[in-house]
Amino acid sequence: MKFLTALAAAALATTTSAFAPAPSQVHSTNRLADLQTNHAIATGTATATRSPTSLCDMLTQTELPQKLYFEKTDREPAKVLGGIKIGNRKLTVVTGASSGLGLNCAATLAKTGRHFVVMAVRDVEKGKRVAKEFGMPEGSYVVMKLELGSLQSVRDFVFNLKAFKSNRGLDNLICNAAVYKPTDPEPAWTDDGFEQSMGINHFGHFLLVNLLIDDLAKVKGSRCCVVGSITGNSNTVGGGLVYPRADLGDLSGFAEGAKKPVSMADGKPFFGAKAYKDSKVCNMMTVSELHRRYHESTGIAFSSMYPGCIAETQLFREKRPWFRKAFPWFMKYVTGGYVGMEEAGERLAQVVDDPQCTKSDVYWSWNGGAQQIGRWSEDGKPRGAGGSGGEIFENTQSDAVRDRETAKKMWELSCKAVGLTDKDKPKAAESA
């Protein structure tokens, strides 16, 4: 077992170097992508070429435009009379719902007939297209603009959502959208000056949740789930043994405002893979702080979850063909951490739909939760490492994620970073 653990850790550790571009090529490659992206946007010829089920659409290394959201042109007119469309179904918001995990989750919920899904997406037209391609029943969803890389877009989305649903509450909020840029040599920035991994994955969702707590509080049994990751949980194989480890340090980067030129939470030089992991730690800490501050007064169930390793993805498309072929096999037959996209989406949907998932301050996992490599089973696939199959259970977060003082500091500095005013803050009573 010790040998297999070491083998798994060594193989997973290659992910940092296996898909890293050669240093001499990276600047020219990124510059070319910038020029191509900007030209396509300027001429109106940009098209979506990747599969809607591709994880790289959700956790993407592709270059985003320098300006992510133009309020005058990107802001949607408010949709109204949503109550008629919603009916007696539960109203559920899913961010990042036009691809990958979010899309599969949204489709699963819509097809139950119990949920009316708000697909909160960057590209509205793409969202409408993939919803039809995935067979989401007509009248079971609405697509709304949300660019998490712009705090103004977050506020515009909240305004439009409130206009759409009128006075009714919000049953479920799933914060799923994320970007992942492990090979970028230099940081990219959100419209507000945050490094994009932290700005989109954490700060955008942090503001969104805070602005919607009172709406969730209107509904008895409402739930809020923020997608976590083993990479931010140091008590797992992927989070504890694979370099770099998540580490918020003393949050000196946050204390400095977390804006350009500050690119890391700990104030140190930019490291793309670590920036993503740090953002996931902040996501999971946010859940614990939401529970501590608002669960008692609102009854909202705040949770996080790890869906398993979705290994077959274009995330590794740029380098090392051998790695792209070997990694899914390795996760299936050595670590046992592999899970398909459809099953991962069903797992995320389960957290807000299953009656057994009403407990707050829980980190949900399946099939062992990736705290060890899998054990042999009769079907030839290791079991017990968070991969396909198995039952849902309450997993254990690392001591770093459960660090109360750091979580409190992270919360307070995040409130300041996103400009959360007294008027913005939830009316719900906050626990001491």
Side-chain angles (χ1 to χ4, degrees), residues 37-38 41 62-71 73-75 121-123 145-153 179 181 188-197 199-200:
T37 300
N38 291 337
I41 292 171
T62 57
E63 294 299 314
L64 296 173
Q66 288 186 345
K67 179 72 173 176
L68 302 177
Y69 184 74
F70 294 88
E71 185 177 358
T73 56
D74 289 344
R75 182 173 183 176
V121 302
R122 172 183 291 134
D123 185 337
K145 175 79 175 182
L146 173 61
E147 172 52 72
L148 287 160
S150 164
L151 298 180
Q152 183 59 53
S153 177
V179 294
K181 297 188 167 191
W189 309 96
T190 69
D191 288 358
D192 303 282
F194 303 123
E195 184 276 320
Q196 282 189 3
S197 297
I200 292 172

Side-chain angles (χ1 to χ4, degrees), residues 42-123:
T43 59
T45 58
T47 57
T49 58
R50 291 188 292 275
S51 164
T53 61
S54 171
L55 183 62
C56 70
D57 283 333
M58 175 184 68
L59 300 177
T60 179
Q61 287 178 259
T62 57
E63 294 299 314
L64 296 173
Q66 288 186 345
K67 179 72 173 176
L68 302 177
Y69 184 74
F70 294 88
E71 185 177 358
K72 291 184 178 180
T73 56
D74 289 344
R75 182 173 183 176
E76 284 188 301
K79 299 176 176 69
V80 295
L81 301 178
I84 298 175
K85 296 181 179 180
I86 299 166
N88 294 324
R89 291 171 291 186
K90 293 182 178 180
L91 179 61
T92 300
V93 172
V94 183
T95 71
S98 63
S99 62
L101 179 62
L103 173 57
N104 281 267
C105 170
T108 298
L109 291 171
K111 290 175 183 178
T112 66
R114 296 186 293 272
H115 295 260
F116 182 90
V117 179
V118 177
M119 299 173 66
V121 302
R122 172 183 291 134
D123 185 337

Side-chain angles (χ1 to χ4, degrees), residues 99-375:
S99 62
L101 179 62
L103 173 57
N104 281 267
C105 170
T108 298
L109 291 171
K111 290 175 183 178
T112 66
R114 296 186 293 272
H115 295 260
F116 182 90
V117 179
V118 177
M119 299 173 66
V121 302
R122 172 183 291 134
D123 185 337
V124 172
E125 293 307 313
K126 176 186 175 183
K128 294 176 180 178
R129 185 182 72 250
V130 297
K132 292 181 180 180
E133 292 173 354
F134 259 58
M136 293 175 65
E138 187 175 349
S140 68
Y141 65 92
V142 66
V143 184
M144 290 189 183
K145 175 79 175 182
L146 173 61
E147 172 52 72
L148 287 160
S150 164
L151 298 180
Q152 183 59 53
S153 177
V154 174
R155 291 180 179 276
D156 289 346
F157 169 79
V158 170
F159 177 87
N160 286 344
L161 176 65
K162 290 176 183 287
F164 178 74
K165 68 182 184 62
S166 190
N167 291 326
R168 71 162 291 155
L170 176 62
D171 294 86
N172 303 295
L173 173 60
I174 298 176
C175 298
N176 157 76
V179 294
Y180 180 42
K181 297 188 167 191
T183 65
D184 281 12
E186 297 177 359
W189 309 96
T190 69
D191 288 358
D192 303 282
F194 303 123
E195 184 276 320
Q196 282 189 3
S197 297
M198 187 63 73
I200 292 172
N201 304 356
H202 169 59
F203 286 127
H205 280 128
F206 184 87
L207 178 61
L208 179 67
V209 174
N210 273 278
L211 295 179
L212 290 175
I213 286 177
D214 287 334
D215 296 87
L216 288 162
K218 291 180 179 180
V219 179
K220 184 178 180 179
S222 59
R223 308 182 202 181
C224 173
C225 178
V226 183
V227 176
S229 170
I230 60 166
T231 62
N233 223 23
S234 58
N235 63 349
T236 64
V237 175
L241 298 180
V242 179
Y243 176 79
R245 292 180 65 172
D247 183 6
L248 301 181
D250 61 359
L251 285 167
S252 59
F254 274 27
E256 294 176 31
K259 293 186 179 181
K260 189 175 183 178
V262 178
S263 61
M264 299 294 289
D266 58 9
K268 294 182 180 179
F270 178 70
F271 192 164
K274 183 176 179 297
Y276 172 77
K277 292 185 177 184
D278 287 351
S279 75
K280 289 286 112 179
V281 171
C282 288
N283 283 160
M284 291 185 281
M285 281 184 169
T286 296
V287 167
S288 295
E289 281 296 289
L290 284 165
H291 168 80
R292 189 189 70 80
R293 293 167 185 268
Y294 295 113
H295 173 67
E296 185 176 349
S297 65
T298 66
I300 302 168
F302 298 102
S303 68
S304 183
M305 60 85 74
Y306 168 59
C309 180
I310 311 169
E312 289 177 332
T313 165
Q314 293 186 37
L315 185 63
F316 311 120
R317 68 191 180 281
E318 294 183 6
K319 288 289 182 178
R320 314 300 197 275
W322 65 266
F323 182 85
R324 297 200 301 269
K325 294 179 180 179
F327 190 53
W329 179 91
F330 182 80
M331 296 308 294
K332 284 182 182 180
Y333 299 106
V334 178
T335 72
Y338 173 88
V339 64
M341 187 71 74
E342 183 176 358
E343 184 177 2
E346 291 170 351
R347 287 178 170 183
L348 180 53
Q350 182 180 1
V351 173
V352 299
D353 186 61
D354 194 326
Q356 70 176 308
C357 298
T358 58
K359 186 175 180 180
S360 188
D361 198 23
V362 174
Y363 174 46
W364 297 109
S365 295
W366 290 256
N367 195 9
Q371 293 191 350
Q372 61 186 15
I373 61 170
R375 297 178 296 276

